[in-house]
Amino acid sequence: MADDVKRLKTDTETVRSQSAASYSDVQLVRDEVAQLKGNVDEMAYRNKQTFGRLGLEDSLIVQKLDAIETRLSRLEQQLGSVPSKSASQATAASGVSSGPVARTAAALLGEGIQKLESGSYASARESFVSLLQSHPSSDLVDDAQFYIAESYFAEKWYEKAVLEYQTVIARYTKSNKRPSALYKQALAFELLGDTVNAKARFRDVMNVYPSSSEAAQAKKKLQ
C-alpha cells in the first residue's frame, strides 16, 4: 500500500510538471502570435502611410502637368496651330472629312507598339498620343501613356521618361501598368544618378505592390 501511495504521488508530480511545461508552451505560442499580429498591423499601417504619401505627391504633380498642358494648348491656339472650334464645327456640318478615317484605340496602340519595337520612337509616340486624344475614355489610355514613357526611356531621355512614368503613376492609379511604371521610374532616377529618389521608388514598389514581379526586382536593387 505504501508503495502504491508513493508511486501515485510520483505520477501526480510528473503530471503537474508536464502541465506546467504545456502551459509555458501555450504562453510562448500566444506571445508569438501577438508579436506576429503586431508586425502585420505595423506593416499595414506603413503601407497605408506610403500609399497616402504616394497619392499626395502624385496628385500635386498631375495638377502641375495639367496646368502645363493647358498653357501649351492655349499657346498653340494663339499661334494658329490648332483649328478653332467654330472651324471644326463648320467642317463637320458640311460633311466634308478633313483628315484620315478614325482608327480604333486597339489599332493605334498596336501600331505604336510596333513602331516602338522597331526603334521609331517619335513615330510611336504620335500613335500613342493620337490614341489619348481620339479615345480618351478607352481602357487602353493607360497603356498608351506607359508606352510613351517607355519610348523616352529607350531613347535614354531619362528626365522626360520620369515625367511620363509619373503620369501613369498619378493618373491611372488602378492600372496594371502602375507597378512597372514605378519600377521603371526608379531605374530612370538611378540612371540619372539620383539614388535617393531611385531607392524611394524601389521601396514604393515593394510596399504598395509586394506580390508583384517588380517588387522582387526592386528588392534585389536595394540589397
Side-chain angles (χ1 to χ4, degrees):
M1 179 68 71
D3 290 340
D4 291 340
V5 170
K6 184 177 181 180
R7 190 163 43 250
L8 183 60
K9 286 182 178 180
T10 301
D11 291 344
T12 302
E13 289 299 323
T14 301
V15 170
R16 286 178 178 173
S17 177
Q18 289 175 346
S19 297
S22 297
Y23 179 78
S24 178
D25 290 342
V26 169
Q27 282 299 114
L28 285 173
V29 171
R30 285 178 177 172
D31 291 343
E32 289 177 2
V33 170
Q35 184 177 1
L36 288 172
K37 186 178 183 301
N39 290 340
V40 170
D41 291 342
E42 183 180 358
M43 186 179 297
Y45 175 76
R46 286 181 179 178
N47 285 350
K48 184 177 180 181
Q49 292 293 100
T50 298
F51 197 83
R53 176 183 58 77
L54 198 60
L56 178 60
E57 292 175 355
D58 294 345
S59 63
L60 292 173
I61 292 177
V62 164
Q63 289 176 13
K64 291 179 181 179
L65 287 172
D66 287 343
I68 292 171
E69 289 173 357
T70 301
R71 288 170 60 191
L72 180 61
S73 178
R74 288 175 180 172
L75 286 171
E76 288 177 339
Q77 288 179 358
Q78 291 173 1
L79 293 171
S81 60
V82 177
S84 66
K85 185 176 180 181
S86 59
S88 299
Q89 290 174 337
T91 301
S94 66
V96 178
S97 175
S98 61
V101 177
R103 287 168 291 171
T104 65
L108 287 167
L109 184 68
E111 176 186 272
I113 292 174
Q114 188 175 19
K115 291 176 180 177
L116 184 62
E117 291 175 345
S118 67
S120 301
Y121 304 123
S123 182
R125 283 194 290 272
E126 290 178 3
S127 297
F128 298 136
V129 170
S130 180
L131 189 162
L132 293 173
Q133 293 177 343
S134 58
H135 303 282
S137 300
S138 170
D139 291 338
L140 299 176
V141 291
D142 57 321
D143 294 75
Q145 180 59 52
F146 176 77
Y147 286 118
I148 288 173
E150 289 283 88
S151 71
Y152 285 115
F153 189 94
E155 284 186 306
K156 296 181 172 45
W157 190 352
Y158 300 122
E159 295 90 348
K160 185 65 173 172
V162 164
L163 295 176
E164 298 298 338
Y165 284 127
Q166 184 62 34
T167 301
V168 180
I169 295 165
R171 190 167 291 172
Y172 307 108
T173 56
K174 296 182 179 180
S175 171
N176 61 357
K177 296 293 185 185
R178 201 167 187 258
S180 293
L182 280 165
Y183 180 74
K184 292 298 290 288
Q185 188 186 57
L187 288 181
F189 276 128
E190 187 177 59
L191 289 165
L192 287 168
D194 188 346
T195 56
V196 173
N197 276 315
K199 289 180 179 179
R201 270 318 194 206
F202 284 136
R203 283 192 291 269
D204 287 338
V205 180
M206 294 169 60
N207 291 332
V208 182
Y209 301 101
S211 300
S212 66
S213 59
E214 289 82 5
Q217 293 173 299
K219 185 177 180 179
K220 291 179 181 179
K221 283 287 187 179
L222 292 174
Q223 287 177 346

